[in-house]
Amino acid sequence: MSDTLALAGRLQLESDDALVWLLTARHLARRDLRDFFDLADALLTPDSIQDALSKLDRPTLAALAAGDTPVSTASSALTGAVALMLAHDVEAQVTPYDSVVAVLDSWPNLGLPSVAELSSVTAPEVPAPSSTEQRAVVDRVSAERALATTVAVTELVIALETTPARELAKGGVAVPDAKRLSAATGLAADDVNAIIRLARLAGLAQRDGLSWHATAHARRWVMLPLAERWGQLAAAWLQALPTEIAGVLRGMNDSYWAQNVVDYLRWLYPAGGEALLSETNHLLDDADRLGITGADTTTAMNRTSAAGNALLVDGEAAAVQTMRHELPPEVSTVYLQHDLTVVAPGPLRPDLDATLRAMTQIESHQVASSYRFSSGSIAKALGAGYSAESIRAFLAEISVTGIPQPLEYLIAESSARYGLLRAGRIVAESGEQAGSYVRSDDRSLLHTVAVDQSLSSLGLVFVNPLRLVSRFELETVYWMLVDARYPVIAEAESGHPTTLTRSQPAPPAPAQPTHTVAELVNRLRGSGVQGNADTEEAWLVRQLDAAVKNKSTVLVTVTMPNGTEVVFPMVPTSVASGRMRGTDQKAGVERTLPLASITQVAAASSVS
């Protein structure tokens, strides 16, 4: 019985869930798979087998190649190889399919280890642990990296909450957005994609089509203490690690990484190839950014930090506790300066930072953050619902230097001017919004708005000397005026001020699960093969159909009424109604044979 027939029979007995898992794991959700024989053939192709073998570690490959492991004592990884249809149970032993053996035998020609080398070549030596002095250096460097990256991700998601970033079709953020996010995070534009990758892993950023958005979880995350924000990033990194790589890193705890990790992975996953190494390099870069590793200045190589060790061995909570001692403490006071700047002497408590951002423009956000007040920022705060009194009360609470006189003047002047422009809805007779208006008693201010090029897209036109109208809705007009730093307030139909909340980008729609694999399983189920007997008959019919199509000669074994078997060299011409019709190449006559009497079909390259 061939591998294809044996595997097809095994496949049709699998559950739907097992088939969905198999098709996904072996990357075989193809539309050209019509029945279980097609699927068996696809699973046994050299390319498909090589792809599956690339995920197996060296000990599993050695056991698979040996083919003598009892099923009862097989490791979980070897049992996984059986589930991947690389091997089956033959007399209670895990035995690879012949096609798998053929691929393994071809490995030396591809520069991969032979079957013998799989079990004879030992692993590269793991370097000795760091000294106490080296660990202190590594921990200091890693804490600096952890702080910078956590702050950068924070600034990234805050920026994405306001304006999504466009992803190029070829990959990477578009240049204008990369520059904007670079300015927000304080990183080079080339590093923005790496920070977005970390934010995506932690569920803080999500791509919708070709745009990156902040997720609903991002706002909650931003309000967490600094160490806990780092902990969620680090835990997401660890969770994203392929199981095989995570196991390797745990085994190399407190050792040099970089080339040592690469060399060990090359040994452990000999068929992993460039894809595994590329993924490993990304993960090592992210580990360095997150402070899971830090540079040992004596060797210029990265080792795991104390927090990284805690993460790999004990998990997120232990890592956060360790990193909290390495990071600078959060502060709850700031210095207000006469030049309208605000300086926080350390990482500002998240709730205070969020409130201060609502009143200022952020200038830098690192260990010591700085903010700047302006007439525009005060107007923004007033538009968000703050009053001059609430602004002063907040600043008095957090400032160790009081409120400087220039800032007092700015708050008073901005609040006095605030509301010179009023924007409202134009309601049609049907009750629907028909546009919006901007009004003011200050004619010169209205003329300034009308000719402002940054507002030209609103199409504002005068309907009388004190009133402009636009076809756009109130929210659009209002927030464009706010962003252009005009002293505008929104008003209801009654003329009383009303508070508008800037609409956040719509959260990305959850990706619709693909039904390709499930549909394929349904198609396979409908192929008509229901049991072992049906499987063997269908296999015979499949071989005969192929011979009809190719006009090839096959050796057909038929059981005669007296129980004997006769082999006919046939060129089949049709298979239908339970019979095969074809030409007997030896006798030179046409024969019709019942399918029920055919026990075997074999290829014949020549007929004597």
Side-chain angles (χ1 to χ4, degrees):
M1 186 179 291
S2 69
D3 276 357
T4 300
L5 175 56
L7 184 53
R10 179 181 166 194
L11 288 168
Q12 59 93 22
L13 296 176
E14 294 288 321
S15 68
D16 286 358
D17 288 344
L19 287 173
V20 168
W21 176 85
L22 173 67
L23 290 164
T24 304
R26 293 288 298 268
H27 310 115
L28 283 175
R30 291 171 13 197
R31 296 182 179 275
D32 62 340
L33 302 179
R34 297 162 300 176
D35 54 33
F36 286 108
F37 298 114
D38 282 343
L39 177 56
D41 280 339
L43 289 168
L44 294 173
T45 60
D47 287 345
S48 180
I49 291 171
Q50 182 71 13
D51 179 66
L53 293 176
S54 69
K55 309 299 190 301
L56 302 184
D57 61 37
R58 200 179 196 101
T60 303
L61 289 168
L64 179 67
D68 57 2
T69 303
V71 172
S72 59
T73 61
S75 66
S76 59
L78 188 56
T79 302
V82 175
L84 285 170
M85 303 298 163
L86 296 172
H88 54 153
D89 182 344
V90 177
E91 297 180 356
Q93 288 187 325
V94 177
T95 305
Y97 287 105
D98 292 340
S99 302
V100 174
V101 173
V103 170
L104 289 171
D105 287 342
S106 71
W107 273 17
N109 297 329
L110 303 175
L112 298 174
S114 66
V115 169
E117 290 171 335
L118 287 173
S119 56
S120 63
V121 177
T122 58
E125 185 177 351
V126 176
S130 311
S131 68
T132 302
E133 295 77 11
Q134 290 169 334
R135 289 173 186 166
V137 173
V138 168
D139 290 345
R140 184 176 67 252
V141 172
S142 66
E144 293 171 358
R145 296 286 282 166
L147 173 63
T149 297
T150 304
V151 168
V153 175
T154 302
E155 297 300 324
L156 172 80
V157 297
I158 290 174
L160 292 179
E161 280 186 323
T162 303
T163 307
R166 187 169 65 89
E167 174 88 356
L168 298 174
K170 63 181 181 180
V173 177
V175 172
D177 286 320
K179 290 181 178 178
R180 173 174 64 87
L181 296 176
S182 172
T185 60
L187 299 175
D190 292 342
D191 293 331
V192 168
N193 289 318
I195 295 300
I196 289 179
R197 182 172 68 245
L198 290 174
R200 178 186 60 79
L201 289 179
L204 306 173
Q206 183 176 353
R207 202 177 79 180
D208 177 22
L210 290 179
S211 294
W212 284 100
H213 299 257
T215 64
H217 172 59
R219 175 46 54 187
R220 297 189 295 272
W221 178 83
V222 165
M223 301 305 293
L224 293 173
L226 184 61
E228 292 181 24
R229 272 180 278 158
W230 172 84
Q232 290 196 10
L233 294 175
W237 171 86
L238 179 60
Q239 186 175 6
L241 288 179
T243 304
E244 57 270 21
I245 296 181
V248 169
L249 296 184
R250 287 189 176 96
M252 300 186 72
N253 212 18
D254 199 28
S255 298
Y256 288 125
W257 283 23
Q259 191 59 43
N260 292 307
V261 172
V262 172
D263 289 343
Y264 189 83
L265 285 172
R266 282 184 185 275
W267 174 86
L268 188 59
Y269 295 93
E274 293 304 316
L276 177 64
L277 296 180
S278 175
E279 184 177 20
T280 302
N281 288 330
H282 274 311
L283 294 169
L284 293 177
D285 288 344
D286 290 343
D288 178 52
R289 289 180 184 280
L290 288 168
I292 294 167
T293 59
D296 180 343
T297 55
T298 61
T299 60
M301 295 177 67
N302 278 10
R303 288 180 179 269
T304 45
S305 63
N309 285 336
L311 176 70
L312 291 168
V313 176
D314 299 318
E316 179 183 351
V320 169
Q321 186 65 25
T322 303
M323 183 59 78
R324 185 178 285 118
H325 297 299
E326 300 292 338
L327 294 173
E330 291 180 338
V331 299
S332 57
T333 56
V334 299
Y335 296 91
L336 301 181
Q337 304 191 116
H338 285 74
D339 62 355
L340 302 181
T341 59
V342 184
V343 176
L348 192 58
R349 216 172 65 198
D351 57 328
L352 302 179
D353 173 70
T355 303
L356 196 55
R357 284 173 185 267
M359 305 172 179
T360 63
Q361 283 93 38
I362 184 79
E363 289 196 328
S364 68
H365 198 68
Q366 293 296 329
V367 177
S369 303
S370 64
Y371 312 76
R372 180 174 294 277
F373 281 99
S374 67
S375 58
S377 71
I378 297 295
K380 177 181 69 173
L382 295 170
Y386 292 94
S387 65
E389 292 74 19
S390 64
I391 293 174
R392 290 191 186 97
F394 170 73
L395 295 178
E397 179 184 349
I398 66 171
S399 175
V400 296
T401 56
I403 303 177
Q405 193 172 53
L407 182 54
E408 281 278 13
Y409 287 152
L410 179 66
I411 295 172
E413 181 185 0
S414 297
S415 61
R417 293 184 70 247
Y418 182 67
L420 287 179
L421 287 177
R422 290 180 173 251
R425 291 183 173 85
I426 299 174
V427 181
E429 293 182 2
S430 62
E432 297 179 356
Q433 180 170 341
S436 53
Y437 64 83
V438 180
R439 68 179 182 88
S440 177
D441 293 332
D442 188 332
R443 297 189 181 188
S444 62
L445 180 59
L446 275 183
H447 278 281
T448 300
V449 170
V451 299
D452 191 328
Q453 289 300 306
S454 68
L455 303 174
S456 61
S457 60
L458 294 176
L460 290 163
V461 295
F462 280 101
V463 293
N464 64 52
L466 301 179
R467 189 179 180 96
L468 293 164
V469 297
S470 169
R471 63 186 176 86
F472 290 96
E473 60 184 15
L474 172 60
E475 286 77 6
T476 301
V477 172
Y478 173 78
W479 287 112
M480 286 190 68
L481 287 167
V482 169
D483 291 341
R485 300 184 180 181
Y486 285 101
V488 61
I489 62 173
E491 62 181 9
E493 291 183 53
S494 62
H496 295 299
T498 185
T499 300
L500 296 180
T501 302
R502 188 187 291 266
S503 58
Q504 299 297 325
Q512 294 298 319
T514 176
H515 296 293
T516 304
V517 176
E519 290 170 357
L520 174 55
V521 171
N522 289 334
R523 187 163 69 249
L524 295 173
R525 292 292 187 211
S527 63
V529 180
Q530 300 298 328
N532 287 333
D534 281 352
T535 304
E536 295 184 13
E537 181 177 333
W539 174 242
L540 294 175
V541 171
R542 178 184 176 87
Q543 292 175 292
L544 294 172
D545 282 339
V548 171
K549 181 178 180 180
N550 297 324
K551 298 180 180 179
S552 58
T553 301
V554 291
L555 301 178
V556 180
T557 302
V558 178
T559 301
M560 306 303 287
N562 61 3
T564 61
E565 289 188 342
V566 178
V567 179
F568 297 101
M570 303 284 292
V571 176
T573 55
S574 67
V575 180
S577 303
R579 290 177 171 80
M580 182 211 77
R581 187 185 300 275
T583 304
D584 186 329
Q585 293 296 92
K586 188 173 183 179
V589 298
E590 186 176 278
R591 296 186 187 278
T592 300
L593 302 174
L595 294 178
S597 299
I598 299 175
T599 60
Q600 186 175 348
V601 176
S605 58
S606 63
V607 179
S608 58

